[in-house]
Amino acid sequence: MTKFSEQFSRRKFIVTAGASAVSSILLKGCLGNPPEPGASAGGEAAAGGGAVPVATSAVAVANEKRVEGIESTKITLGYIPIVEAAPLIIAQEKGFFAKYGMTEVTVAKQANWGSTRDNVEIGSAGGGIDGGQWQMPMPYQISQGLITKNSTKIPMYVLAQLNTHGNGIAIAGKHQGKGLGLKLDQAAQDYIKGLAKAGTPFKAAYTFPKANQDLWIRYWLAANGIDPDTDVSLLTVPAAQTVANMKTGSMDAFSTGDPWPLRIVKENIGFMSALTSEIWKAHPEEYLAIRGDWVDKHPKATEAVIAAIIEAQQWCDKPENRPELVAILSGKNFIDVNPAVLAPPFEGKYVMGDGKPDINDFKSSPLYWKDSVGNVSYPYKSHDLWFITESVRWGFLPTKTLADKKALIDKVNREDIWKNAAKLAGVADADIPKSTSRGIEKFFDGKEFNPDQPEAYLSSLAIKKV
């Protein structure tokens, strides 16, 4: 038994009991916890009914930091039950929100990404949410009215990055022995392309189109000489159905997040071709974003929310807290899985399958505050630019978007608010980035993204739609 497992075993009961004591009923959501009839995210509100079932925590903590003139103590934040949501859940369960005077914070489990989008359109006043956890570049798409009902523009502010790592590309077991790893040789490329020619195309899925998980699998395929728009069949599959679909053979691959990689391998459903930490080390993953009108009306409350999340991120990254983190997240109100499925990823231990060596590296685990490059929480504008550039690459956004990149990003990315919140949280100056650019980013295939020259990056890519 590892030291981590021993710690977990000793603390599991106490922590689980504590988490249950401060939690009420949440929205039953994705990842093996499907919505009950009439209880899907935003379902009642959309039908003109009452409020979404929620959980509110106001745990008292030491060193309370009241924010003078705070405009509200109440906000509703949505989350998807995967490891990316940890800072929101921990900020609630460990009392960090309450510490900064946000004593009526509600974290509401969302059924899927579409429901999350619908609920932020409604807003908390209508029974929805004010913001929460997002794949990128969803806050930009919502701000531009690209994925909303009737193309309604709902300004959103990106306020913090929640984590790095914690995702990977899973492959169905029937493809074992075909060389489908991080890098594909010619035989592996021919194998995938041959399936399309035979009329049985390789089916690769993600949970929401034109966002993180779609972009990760597209990058991996294209970097290996596979055109994701012609050589395979891409499809959107609700997260709750991904494992089942791979089991039945109706899906060949999907871009997935922890804790599902371990389950896929352990249950002999499939194997992992690559972790996103291998595709792009210390990559941006998911974000905190809130409706712009809420932030504009509650600037001090916004800083309090972010400060609490920053403290939660610092707490999450301490190895000694990982057993307790696993105990909390695995609970029925949150991810609702066997703790044994969550523990290894939080140690950085991944069983890859298909003869690949296992990974045992804490730095490859989901990280929330610091990684090998620097600060995780700070929302670098250069990362937003990569997501926008990739969206242009695949035809999701017009090429002229890059000409307006600065104005677009400055309107949505509010890293200035993050910096104010970091000071409120007592973050050392050395841990507050001095530049809105993290500089040149490097990928597993040797490509580089220079945020000063996004057009040059696009030109360097062999497979693209522009």
Side-chain angles (χ1 to χ4, degrees):
M1 181 177 287
T2 66
K3 183 178 180 181
F4 181 95
S5 300
E6 290 173 353
Q7 288 179 307
F8 172 76
S9 298
R10 288 196 301 268
R11 300 169 72 177
K12 176 184 175 186
F13 174 78
I14 295 173
V15 174
T16 303
S20 298
V22 296
S23 298
S24 56
I25 298 192
L26 296 176
L27 279 176
K28 296 273 178 95
C30 62
L31 305 178
N33 187 18
E36 293 178 348
S40 61
E44 291 184 9
V52 175
V54 294
T56 303
S57 176
V59 181
V61 294
N63 303 317
E64 183 179 17
K65 293 186 178 181
R66 289 192 176 275
V67 177
E68 292 297 325
I70 196 168
E71 307 87 2
S72 176
T73 59
K74 186 176 184 179
I75 188 173
T76 302
L77 302 172
Y79 76 95
I80 297 291
I82 47 181
V83 298
E84 286 88 337
L88 299 181
I89 294 168
I90 292 303
Q92 180 205 47
E93 295 297 288
K94 298 299 290 183
F96 295 123
F97 284 135
K99 176 178 179 177
Y100 289 91
M102 296 302 294
T103 55
E104 299 176 90
V105 174
T106 292
V107 290
K109 185 186 290 188
Q110 306 295 291
N112 50 54
W113 291 108
S115 293
T116 309
R117 172 205 57 204
D118 294 344
N119 276 335
V120 86
E121 287 187 58
I122 297 168
S124 62
I129 61 178
D130 298 303
Q133 168 193 355
W134 300 95
Q135 290 192 60
M136 282 288 272
M138 288 181 73
Y140 284 86
Q141 295 164 340
I142 293 169
S143 295
Q144 294 295 307
L146 298 176
I147 59 173
T148 56
K149 292 184 181 67
N150 303 315
S151 300
T152 303
K153 294 182 179 181
I154 301 179
M156 299 284 292
Y157 291 159
V158 168
L159 298 167
Q161 183 179 309
L162 293 176
N163 72 298
T164 184
H165 302 160
N167 268 261
I169 310 298
I171 309 292
K174 65 182 179 181
H175 301 295
Q176 289 188 31
K178 302 298 182 181
L180 304 186
L182 176 64
K183 295 183 178 181
L184 307 185
D185 60 19
Q186 191 60 53
Q189 293 178 35
D190 291 343
Y191 171 71
I192 290 179
K193 292 178 181 179
L195 292 173
K197 291 176 183 177
T200 56
F202 187 85
K203 296 181 290 298
Y206 39 75
T207 57
F208 196 80
K210 304 178 182 180
N212 274 25
Q213 292 183 353
D214 185 0
L215 297 178
W216 299 147
I217 204 162
R218 282 175 174 271
Y219 193 96
W220 173 71
L221 288 167
N224 282 300
I226 307 294
D227 190 324
D229 290 310
T230 59
D231 295 331
V232 301
S233 176
L234 293 178
L235 61 155
T236 302
V237 175
Q241 299 175 22
T242 50
V243 173
N245 281 13
M246 185 167 279
K247 245 181 191 177
T248 60
S250 58
M251 188 170 63
D252 298 293
F254 71 90
S255 182
T256 184
D258 290 329
W260 308 119
L262 181 67
R263 180 181 166 190
I264 288 163
V265 178
K266 287 290 189 182
E267 295 183 17
N268 295 316
I269 299 168
F271 59 93
M272 299 302 298
S273 61
L275 301 181
T276 50
S277 60
E278 297 177 291
I279 293 172
W280 179 5
K281 188 177 182 181
H283 65 80
E285 183 49 34
E286 292 182 8
Y287 285 76
L288 170 73
I290 299 174
R291 286 178 60 120
D293 55 2
W294 195 95
V295 174
D296 291 341
K297 188 177 179 181
H298 309 97
K300 292 185 178 181
T302 301
E303 289 180 11
V305 167
I306 299 170
I309 288 173
I310 284 173
E311 285 212 33
Q313 290 178 295
Q314 293 170 332
W315 186 93
C316 287
D317 262 12
K318 293 179 180 178
E320 63 268 27
N321 291 337
R322 290 281 168 115
E324 187 175 351
L325 177 60
V326 168
I328 292 172
L329 294 186
S330 63
K332 289 188 177 298
N333 283 338
F334 302 117
I335 299 181
D336 190 17
V337 294
N338 187 320
V341 175
L342 265 182
F346 275 118
E347 290 182 275
K349 294 181 178 179
Y350 292 90
V351 178
M352 301 299 284
D354 196 29
K356 298 179 181 64
D358 295 344
I359 291 174
N360 185 3
D361 178 11
F362 184 81
K363 292 181 180 179
S364 294
S365 73
L367 299 174
Y368 302 94
W369 178 240
K370 282 188 177 181
D371 56 25
S372 58
V373 179
N375 193 292
V376 172
S377 179
Y378 176 74
Y380 285 98
K381 290 184 177 181
S382 60
H383 288 163
D384 292 23
L385 179 57
W386 181 84
F387 284 110
I388 289 170
T389 305
E390 281 292 300
S391 297
V392 170
R393 174 188 186 180
W394 300 117
F396 302 155
L397 291 173
T399 53
K400 67 178 182 179
T401 305
L402 290 179
D404 304 324
K405 57 184 180 293
K406 188 179 186 306
L408 174 61
I409 293 172
D410 287 349
K411 195 173 183 179
V412 177
N413 184 301
R414 294 302 306 273
E415 54 81 33
D416 58 311
I417 300 178
W418 184 94
K419 287 181 176 178
N420 292 337
K423 292 175 182 176
L424 175 63
V427 175
D429 286 345
D431 289 333
I432 298 177
K434 302 301 185 285
S435 172
T436 60
S437 172
R438 199 172 73 169
I440 295 174
E441 304 287 348
K442 299 181 180 181
F443 301 83
F444 82 101
D445 59 341
K447 294 297 181 183
E448 294 185 350
F449 174 74
N450 184 339
D452 293 331
Q453 301 173 354
E455 294 86 358
Y457 167 76
L458 268 182
S459 297
S460 74
L461 301 169
I463 299 177
K464 52 184 180 284
K465 286 194 117 179
V466 294

